[in-house]
Amino acid sequence: MKNNIYFKCVELLKKKAPLLKLLLQLAPQPLENSISSPSKNLNKQLSIVKKHQPSICFIYGTGYGHFYKKLKLWLCQDLNRRAIFFEESIDSLQNLFCTPVGFSMVQDDQVEIFYLKSPDFWTQNKKHLKSFLGMPFEIILDPSVKEGLDSFDEFKEKLSSLCLSQNSVFTEYLYASPLFYKNAFKNLYTLQDCFHSHKLKNQFSNIPAIICGAGPSINENLADLKKLNQKALIFAGGRAANVLNNSAIEPHFTLGIDPYPMHHETFSQNNFFSSPLIYRSRMNSDAVEKAHGALVYTPKAIGYPIIEWIESQLGIESPKLEEGLNVVNFSLQLAHYFGCNPIILIGCDLSYHQSHAYSKSIVLNQKLPNSGDIDSKDYSIHRGSFEKNIDGQKVYTLWKWKEEASWMAEFAQKNSDRIYLNATKAGLNIKGFENVDLNEILSNHLVHNYDLESIVFQSLINQKKSSINKHSIDMHIKDVYESLKRCLEQLTLISNTTKNHVLEKELLEDEVAFQKILLPLSDLFEMVEQEKKKVLREQKKASFLLSYAKKYCSLLDNA
């Protein structure tokens, strides 16, 4: 009897989880095991679900399906709810599928079952799992799990990280995109008389680079940094530029990628009159106007293909230069592209140090929260946690900082042709970067003097002057504007009626504004929308896209 149920379960997995079916077929036949009794904690876990009323329950462990039986009523109350089970033991899955409740789980359209040890699990299932993370969810430990609690913590962290990653994308497109376009379309006009960073490839070959962060420990390096302006190319972006300005240290390059108005104030306070500004189109356009030195534009806006399309129309072709997750990541990419070696970090704490997030010279500093204020359900980029620093001590950090450290570690691994050194006095460990005191670096790596101001100046004036003019920029922005207007017409037609708009959809999807501006928003909508009826779903999506198309048209009206 049990084996009959088992083979039926395996066959049903053909559509639902084909890889799991294959792995079960390759595994030895399940043994006859007795079914364990339900845990006394089942009702306690169920009370968490009832209290928070999530749309999705992620359950670590399957047991013998006892928790699923408890969840049945919760699932039946709303057909959009889902119970997603994760199991690390193939034996446990085999035992489950030998039972009637296991058969019910496989048949239930509101249930999915994942085997965590399937090959490359997190990479292979990332997209599918993210489709659930746009809805309220709860992560539950199945009460039957008595061992492997460390594995549960690791699972919870990975799932939370996926959620945070997705939320950062949602935040970018849903909230920051209007600000991005406001800056980007205005910054396109700087192309008439700017220089280009992609033309600086290997112009500083084997010259050391120092990348400055604004972490609290940078104060301990400032006295030494003052003496190094002829020994290493100094990069400072965002708040770090303010820190250096307050100490009368002028970097060789300032950098900017942030679109927010606060960076207008940051740059208006700086007294750098010769430092070139390397920026991307997303940078706050008022801050770009405040720059005193030469403007050095970096083409391609990551995540916003319309800018690359306009650049291509203007004849700008360049390799893709990543910007990572913050201006320090961007500086690392540029220092490598410019040919610098070694590449040295200072002030990149990526954690709180002496109860502060940033250098003491930054007025709007973030103070360390009380441990009681740490919210485990915070799925924003500011989610906090305690991690070990370079000295093995626990420090408070944020999810976004851990991601920035991971990005740099991955970059160093991919680009192992350089020496990467971290002279930050405290903070998170960054894999691939050797932790070395700045004085030791001075003795071993910063042994030559360079006339760096002249080298920077010469590298820029050697570039041919741009032939881009205001008329050509106007013309291509107008093309985008008119395409958006046509998108508005088609979206209005689709959103107003429930008939099947085949022609309107074809016309819409042919538009460059749809392909390069609205498509990312369309993809986000598809991730979270639960409407099953195709026509109604398309109508809802059209209304959603219409609201953003109107915002973007309004911005172009004022460009």
Side-chain angles (χ1 to χ4, degrees), residues 111-129:
V111 171
E112 294 203 32
I113 301 169
F114 288 97
Y115 177 48
L116 282 167
K117 290 189 177 177
S118 60
D120 204 12
F121 174 81
W122 292 101
T123 302
Q124 294 299 321
N125 294 285
K126 181 188 291 186
K127 185 176 180 180
H128 186 49
L129 291 174

Side-chain angles (χ1 to χ4, degrees), residues 280 297-302 308 311 317-321 323:
R280 266 205 152 122
Y297 184 82
T298 302
K300 293 184 168 54
I302 307 302
E308 185 176 347
E311 289 168 353
E317 300 293 342
S318 79
K320 184 178 180 180
L321 296 175
E323 65 192 41

Side-chain angles (χ1 to χ4, degrees), residues 30-165:
L31 299 173
E32 295 281 337
N33 290 323
S34 60
I35 298 176
S36 65
S37 301
S39 167
K40 294 178 181 178
N41 291 324
L42 279 174
N43 288 329
K44 181 181 177 183
Q45 297 295 64
L46 185 64
S47 68
I48 296 172
V49 178
K50 288 180 176 179
K51 179 182 178 181
H52 296 125
Q53 289 296 314
S55 298
I56 309 290
C57 261
F58 295 111
I59 303 104
Y60 180 82
T62 52
Y64 280 92
H66 297 306
F67 193 52
Y68 165 70
K69 286 193 284 186
K70 287 285 186 181
L71 282 176
K72 276 291 290 180
L73 179 60
W74 173 79
L75 286 168
C76 291
Q77 287 170 345
D78 185 342
L79 294 179
N80 288 317
R81 288 174 175 169
R82 295 290 181 271
I84 317 295
F85 289 86
F86 299 83
E87 181 56 67
E88 292 211 5
S89 166
I90 201 78
D91 290 340
S92 295
L93 287 172
Q94 288 182 316
N95 290 334
L96 173 67
F97 296 147
C98 285
T99 66
V101 69
F103 185 64
S104 295
M105 289 173 72
V106 174
Q107 286 185 305
D108 195 330
D109 289 336
Q110 289 177 264
V111 171
E112 294 203 32
I113 301 169
F114 288 97
Y115 177 48
L116 282 167
K117 290 189 177 177
S118 60
D120 204 12
F121 174 81
W122 292 101
T123 302
Q124 294 299 321
N125 294 285
K126 181 188 291 186
K127 185 176 180 180
H128 186 49
L129 291 174
K130 279 188 172 183
S131 68
F132 299 115
L133 294 172
M135 294 168 272
F137 65 86
E138 195 72 36
I139 303 174
I140 299 283
L141 175 66
D142 188 288
S144 67
V145 177
K146 295 181 175 60
E147 297 178 357
L149 296 185
D150 288 343
S151 297
F152 171 65
D153 289 338
E154 184 182 340
F155 162 78
K156 192 173 182 179
E157 184 62 29
K158 284 186 175 179
L159 200 56
S160 297
S161 187
L162 267 185
C163 179
L164 288 158
S165 166

Side-chain angles (χ1 to χ4, degrees), residues 369-383:
N370 296 320
S371 58
D373 295 334
I374 297 172
D375 183 3
S376 63
K377 290 198 169 295
D378 178 5
Y379 291 108
S380 75
I381 61 172
H382 301 290
R383 177 188 176 96

Side-chain angles (χ1 to χ4, degrees), residues 348 485 559:
C348 296
K485 282 286 191 183

Side-chain angles (χ1 to χ4, degrees), residues 239-353:
R239 292 183 175 96
N242 274 129
V243 175
L244 267 61
N245 180 72
N246 292 337
S247 297
I249 301 171
E250 185 157 0
H252 299 102
F253 287 111
T254 57
L255 300 97
I257 56 173
D258 290 307
Y260 303 105
M262 63 175 288
H263 292 283
H264 172 233
E265 295 177 23
T266 297
F267 274 80
S268 66
Q269 294 166 9
N270 289 339
N271 300 314
F272 306 141
F273 291 98
S274 61
S275 297
L277 168 66
I278 304 177
Y279 64 108
R280 266 205 152 122
S281 57
R282 69 180 290 120
M283 186 181 177
N284 182 271
S285 55
D286 293 330
V288 173
E289 287 183 355
K290 287 288 182 182
H292 300 297
L295 297 179
V296 185
Y297 184 82
T298 302
K300 293 184 168 54
I302 307 302
Y304 292 93
I306 192 63
I307 299 303
E308 185 176 347
W309 181 85
I310 294 175
E311 289 168 353
S312 178
Q313 301 302 305
L314 293 168
I316 300 172
E317 300 293 342
S318 79
K320 184 178 180 180
L321 296 175
E322 296 287 350
E323 65 192 41
L325 303 167
N326 70 349
V327 76
V328 170
N329 292 170
F330 183 43
S331 301
L332 175 58
Q333 165 71 89
L334 289 172
H336 182 274
Y337 185 76
F338 292 174
C340 298
N341 195 32
I343 299 174
I344 304 153
L345 304 179
I346 65 169
C348 296
D349 299 61
L350 299 173
S351 65
Y352 282 74
H353 179 60

